[in-house]
C-alpha cells in the first residue's frame, strides 16, 4: 500500500476515536447515551441515517448485486426507499416524537402490550447481531482483498476501533462519526464515478459497452420471472412492505431522529436523507457495473467494489475510498450495537425486571454494547459460507418485517388493533414467514404475503379481544390535528 | 403464483408513476403543523412537503431514464 494511503487511513482512524472520546464527556445517563440528550441537528442526523443505511444494505453486497443484475439493484435506493422515507418523515417520526419514546419496541409496547414490546425487541436484536456479523465479514473481506489481512485480523481491528468510540460516546459520537464517514463516502464515490467513466471512454461508451455485453443491466425493472429481482416482488415486497417496515420501524435508523433537538429537525433529517439516498447508487451500484465493463477478474460478485478501488483509483484516492468502504460498514456496526444495547437494556431487561434507572441503564448499556460487539465479531467468520451477503440480510429481514409493519400501520392509524391480537399476529406472522421461506419462495414475495396475512389476522382477531382504553392510546394514534383525540365511544 | 411470472414489465413503470403520484398527493394531506410546530421559524423553505415533491420529481425522472 502507498504511504499516502496509509497516512490517510491513520488520520481517519485517529479522528473517529478522538471524536468519540471528546463526545463521551457529554454522556451522564442513559438519555445522553442512547438519545444524545436530544441535541442533534437535522443535517448531522440526515448524514448519519445514510451512513447507517448504506452499510446496512451492504456497500460491498450491493455492488455485487449490481454486478449480477445491473441497475435493478438500485431499486433498493429508489422506489424501495424514497416513498417510505417520505412517509416516515411526515407521519411516523412526528408520532414517535410526540409519544416521547426511546425506541420503536417501546412504542409498540405502549400501543399494544409489554409482551409485544419484549418480543419485538428480541426479534430486532437477534437480527441486529446477525447484521453486525455480516458487516464485520464485509469489512474483513475488503481488508483481505486490499491489504491481504487474514479475516480474523480485519474483524479484531475493526471491532476495536468501533468499540472505542461507540462504548464511550454513545449515540452522539456515533452520529457525528457517521456524518464524517458519509462525507468521505460521497467524496470517494464521486472519484470512482469520474475516473471509472473516464477509463471506460466516457459515459456514452460506458453505457454502450455495458448494454452490449449485458442487455438488461440498465433496466430498472427486470422480468417477473427473474430469480433475484422480479419486478412484482420489487414493488409488492420491497416498496410496499420491506421498505416501509425498515424506514418507519427500524430502530437503528430511527433512533438518531429521536435524538433530534426538535421535532422539525427529526422530520427534516429524514427528508434530507432521502435526497442523499437518491444519489447512493452512484456509490454502491456503479462500481459493480464498472467492474463488468472493465472485465474484472474476480471470483465472486461481492469482490467487485474492492477490485474497483484497487484497480481504478490512484494512491491517495484509493486510500480515501478504502476508508469510505470501511467507514460505511463501521457506521452500520456502531448504529446497530447502540440500538441493540438500547433495546436489550430498556425494552427487554427494563420490562422483565421492571427497572428504569437512567444512571444504572447507562452502565448496563455500555456493557451490553461490548457484549453485542463481541457477539457480532464471533458470528462474522461464518457469514462467508452463506452466499451473497446482501441477499442474506434481506432474507432475514423478510422473516419479520411484514408482521412488524402490520402492527405499526394498524397501531398508528386505527384504534381497532388490540394488545392480544398484536401478540398473536406477531408470533404467527413470523412463523408463517419462516414456513414460506422454507418453501423456496422469493423473499420479496414472502414479505408481501406475510404482511397481507398479518394485516388480516390483526384486524380480525381484534374483533374478539379486549382493546386498550382510550386514555391509554392518547398520543399514540396518528391524527391530522397532530394529536390523538380520545374517542368517546367504541363501536 | 404462476400467473405473476407472466406480467409484462411495462406494468411496473405504470405502477411506479401511480405510486409516486399517490405519495405526492398524500404529502399535502398532512397538515404543516404536524411537523412545523416546534420549527425555529415558519419560513417557507422549512415546509418539508415541498422537499418531498422535488424528490418525487427526481424519482420519476430516474425511472423514465431507466425504463
Amino acid at each position: 500500500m502507498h504511504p499516502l494511503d496509509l497516512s490517510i487511513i491513520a488520520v481517519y482512524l485517529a479522528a473517529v476515536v478522538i471524536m468519540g472520546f471528546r463526545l463521551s464527556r457529554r454522556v451522564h445517563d442513559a438519555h445522553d447515551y442512547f438519545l444524545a440528550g436530544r441535541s442533534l441537528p437535522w443535517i448531522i442526523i440526515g448524514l448519519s441515517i445514510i451512513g447507517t443505511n448504506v452499510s446496512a444494505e451492504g456497500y460491498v453486497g450491493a455492488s455485487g448485486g449490481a454486478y449480477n443484475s445491473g441497475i435493478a439493484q438500485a431499486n433498493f435506493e429508489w422506489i424501495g426507499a424514497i416513498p417510505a422515507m417520505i412517509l416516515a418523515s411526515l407521519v411516523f417520526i412526528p408520532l414517535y416524537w410526540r409519544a416521547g419514546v426511546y425506541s420503536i419496541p417501546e412504542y409498540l409496547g405502549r400501543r399494544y402490550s409489554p409482551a409485544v414490546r419484549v418480543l419485538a425487541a428480541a426479534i430486532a436484536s437477534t437480527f441486529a447481531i446477525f447484521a453486525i456479523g455480516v458487516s464485520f465479514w464485509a469489512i474483513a473481506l475488503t481488508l483481505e482483498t486490499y491489504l491481504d489481512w487474514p479475516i480474523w485480523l480485519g474483524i479484531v481491528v475493526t471491532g476495536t476501533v468501533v468499540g472505542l468510540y461507540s462504548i464511550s460516546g454513545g449515540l452522539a459520537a456515533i452520529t457525528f462519526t457517521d456524518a464524517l464517514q458519509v462525507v468521505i463516502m460521497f467524496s470517494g464515490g464521486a472519484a470512482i464515478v469520474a475516473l471509472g467513466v473516464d477509463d471506460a471512454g466516457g459515459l456514452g461508451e460506458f453505457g454502450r459497452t455495458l448494454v452490449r455485453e449485458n442487455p438488461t443491466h440498465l433496466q430498472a425493472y427486470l422480468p417477473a420471472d427473474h430469480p433475484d429481482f422480479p419486478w412484482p416482488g420489487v414493488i409488492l415486497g420491497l416498496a410496499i412492505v420491506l421498505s416501509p417496515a425498515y424506514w418507519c420501524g427500524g430502530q437503528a435508523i430511527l433512533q438518531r431522529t429521536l435524538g433530534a433537538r426538535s421535532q422539525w429537525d427529526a422530520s427534516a433529517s429524514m427528508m434530507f436523507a432521502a435526497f442523499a439516498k437518491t444519489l447512493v447508487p452512484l456509490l454502491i451500484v456503479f462500481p459493480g457495473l464498472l467492474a463488468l465493463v472493465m472485465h474484472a477478474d474476480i471470483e465472486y460478485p461481492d469482490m467487485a467494489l474492492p477490485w474497483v478501488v484497487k484497480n481504478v483509483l490512484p494512491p491517495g484516492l484509493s486510500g480515501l475510498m478504502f476508508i469510505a468502504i470501511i467507514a460505511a460498514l463501521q457506521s452500520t456496526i456502531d448504529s446497530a450495537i447502540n440500538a441493540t444495547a438500547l433495546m436489550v437494556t430498556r425494552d427487554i431487561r427494563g420490562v422483565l425486571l421492571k427497572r428504569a434507572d437512567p444512571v444504572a441503564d447507562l452502565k448496563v448499556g455500555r456493557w451490553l454494547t461490548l457484549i453485542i460487539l463481541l457477539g457480532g465479531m464471533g458470528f462474522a467468520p461464518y457469514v462467508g459460507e452463506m452466499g451473497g451477503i446482501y441477499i442474506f440480510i434481506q432474507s432475514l429481514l423478510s422473516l419479520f418485517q411484514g408482521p412488524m409493519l402490520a402492527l405499526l400501520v394498524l397501531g398508528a392509524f386505527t384504534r381497532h388493533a388490540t394488545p392480544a391480537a398484536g401478540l398473536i399476529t406477531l408470533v404467527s406472522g413470523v412463523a408463517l414467514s419462516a414456513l414460506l421461506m422454507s418453501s423456496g419462495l422469493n423473499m420479496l414475495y414472502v414479505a408481501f404475503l406475510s404482511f397481507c396475512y398479518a394485516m388480516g389476522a390483526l384486524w380480525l382477531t381484534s374483533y374478539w379481544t379486549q382493546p386498550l382504553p382510550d386514555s391509554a392510546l392518547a398520543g399514540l394514534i396518528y391524527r391530522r390535528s397532530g394529536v390523538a383525540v380520545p374517542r368517546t365511544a367504541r363501536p | 403464483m404462476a400467473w405473476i411470472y407472466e406480467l409484462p414489465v411495462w406494468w411496473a413503470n405504470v405502477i411506479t408513476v401511480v405510486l409516486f403520484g399517490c405519495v405526492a398527493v398524500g404529502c399535502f394531506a398532512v397538515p404543516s403543523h404536524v411537523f412545523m410546530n416546534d420549527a425555529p421559524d415558519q419560513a417557507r423553505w422549512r415546509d418539508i412537503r415541498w422537499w418531498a415533491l422535488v424528490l418525487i420529481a427526481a424519482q420519476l425522472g430516474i425511472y423514465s431514464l431507466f425504463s
Side-chain angles (χ1 to χ4, degrees):
Chain A
M1 178 176 260
H2 195 279
L4 184 58
D5 291 335
L6 283 173
S7 307
I8 290 173
I9 292 167
V11 167
Y12 162 75
L13 291 177
V16 293
V17 172
I18 290 168
M19 189 184 288
F21 277 113
R22 284 184 67 86
L23 288 166
S24 70
R25 295 175 194 164
R26 298 184 189 179
V27 178
H28 304 293
D29 58 24
H31 186 255
D32 297 330
Y33 190 69
F34 290 126
L35 293 185
R38 288 211 153 145
S39 61
L40 301 171
W42 63 277
I43 291 181
I44 296 296
I45 300 171
L47 291 173
S48 176
I49 287 172
I50 290 301
T52 301
N53 166 255
V54 165
S55 3
E57 291 189 352
Y59 208 136
V60 176
S63 292
Y67 184 89
N68 268 340
S69 304
I71 200 83
Q73 175 73 41
N75 283 313
F76 285 85
E77 324 302 323
W78 296 333
I79 197 165
I82 304 302
M85 292 173 86
I86 293 172
L87 179 68
S89 174
L90 294 174
V91 174
F92 280 94
I93 289 174
L95 184 68
Y96 299 144
W97 184 270
R98 280 195 301 277
V101 295
Y102 275 59
S103 68
I104 311 311
E106 184 178 352
Y107 171 79
L108 289 172
R110 287 178 55 190
R111 177 60 187 81
Y112 291 96
S113 66
V116 170
R117 178 178 181 180
V118 171
L119 185 58
I123 292 171
S125 300
T126 305
F127 165 75
I129 291 173
F130 280 111
I132 292 165
V134 169
S135 294
F136 269 120
W137 183 79
I139 287 184
L141 186 70
T142 307
L143 290 167
E144 184 192 39
T145 306
Y146 200 66
L147 299 179
D148 292 328
W149 284 11
I151 292 288
W152 69 267
L153 183 61
I155 292 170
V156 169
V157 170
T158 309
T160 305
V161 172
V162 172
L164 281 174
Y165 69 81
S166 300
I167 294 170
S168 59
L171 183 65
I174 289 166
T175 308
F176 278 93
T177 49
D178 282 0
L180 170 68
Q181 289 160 352
V182 169
V183 171
I184 294 170
M185 276 163 50
F186 272 93
S187 306
I192 280 195
V193 171
L195 293 170
V197 167
D198 188 51
D199 277 3
L203 196 57
E205 186 56 31
F206 175 88
R208 280 190 290 276
T209 306
L210 182 65
V211 173
R212 187 166 55 242
E213 296 167 3
N214 309 275
T216 62
H217 268 50
L218 283 184
Q219 289 177 14
Y221 290 118
L222 296 174
D225 58 353
H226 190 273
D228 292 329
F229 301 117
W231 75 259
V234 167
I235 291 178
L236 297 175
L238 178 62
I240 295 179
V241 179
L242 287 175
S243 167
Y246 177 81
W247 291 102
C248 302
Q251 178 62 24
I253 289 292
L254 291 166
Q255 188 173 336
R256 59 254 310 105
T257 68
L258 299 175
R261 63 188 174 190
S262 72
Q263 184 190 308
W264 182 85
D265 279 87
S267 287
S269 69
M270 184 59 82
M271 208 65 90
F272 173 62
F275 278 100
K277 184 75 172 159
T278 303
L279 300 175
V280 162
L282 287 176
L283 309 183
I284 67 173
V285 172
F286 181 82
L289 304 180
L290 184 61
L292 270 178
V293 170
M294 296 182 74
H295 303 103
D297 179 24
I298 53 179
E299 288 176 45
Y300 41 94
D302 286 347
M303 295 185 77
L305 181 63
W307 185 89
V308 167
V309 172
K310 197 171 181 176
N311 292 279
V312 173
L313 296 179
L317 272 180
S318 62
L320 188 72
M321 193 56 209
F322 177 70
I323 289 171
I325 299 168
I326 300 301
L329 295 163
Q330 278 181 346
S331 61
T332 288
I333 296 171
D334 60 29
S335 304
I337 58 173
N338 189 260
T340 309
L342 165 62
M343 290 188 287
V344 177
T345 303
R346 282 181 54 88
D347 298 317
I348 298 177
R349 172 184 164 274
V351 172
L352 296 180
L353 302 182
K354 295 186 171 28
R355 283 183 195 162
D357 173 4
V359 177
D361 282 356
L362 170 61
K363 193 173 176 182
V364 172
R366 279 187 160 143
W367 275 109
L368 280 171
T369 304
L370 177 62
I371 292 167
I372 292 161
L373 185 70
L374 293 174
M377 290 166 70
F379 171 65
Y382 302 101
V383 176
E385 301 163 12
M386 298 180 180
I389 56 177
Y390 192 83
I391 299 294
F392 174 70
I393 278 277
Q394 293 298 329
S395 299
L396 272 181
L397 270 173
S398 61
L399 279 179
F400 64 91
Q401 294 289 57
M404 291 278 266
L405 180 64
L407 262 67
L408 275 176
V409 168
L410 290 184
F413 289 104
T414 76
R415 293 170 185 280
H416 181 69
T418 67
L423 187 59
I424 292 166
T425 302
L426 190 53
V427 173
S428 59
V430 173
L432 176 71
S433 298
L435 194 66
L436 291 172
M437 189 75 81
S438 67
S439 74
L441 194 62
N442 184 290
M443 64 181 181
L444 299 171
Y445 294 127
V446 171
F448 181 70
L449 291 175
S450 64
F451 171 69
C452 292
Y453 160 79
M455 289 289 280
L458 183 53
W459 190 260
L460 291 175
T461 49
S462 293
Y463 275 113
W464 61 82
T465 48
Q466 187 66 29
L468 284 174
D470 281 347
S471 58
L473 294 176
L476 300 175
I477 312 282
Y478 176 77
R479 286 288 178 271
R480 292 190 77 238
S481 60
V483 292
V485 181
R487 204 176 43 176
T488 52
R490 187 180 173 83
Chain B
M1 291 288 288
W3 59 272
I4 208 167
Y5 298 126
E6 292 167 16
L7 296 176
V9 173
W10 65 266
W11 280 29
N13 298 315
V14 174
I15 294 171
T16 300
V17 173
V18 171
L19 178 65
F20 277 112
C22 291
V23 174
V25 171
C27 286
F28 284 87
V30 178
S32 62
H33 66 77
V34 167
F35 49 85
M36 291 282 277
N37 262 347
D38 64 349
D41 56 60
Q42 297 296 307
R44 198 176 180 89
W45 71 270
R46 289 189 187 275
D47 186 341
I48 54 175
R49 294 173 303 181
W50 294 105
W51 301 20
L53 278 193
V54 174
L55 267 171
I56 290 165
Q59 290 293 312
L60 290 175
I62 286 168
Y63 275 98
S64 66
L65 183 65
F66 293 114
S67 63

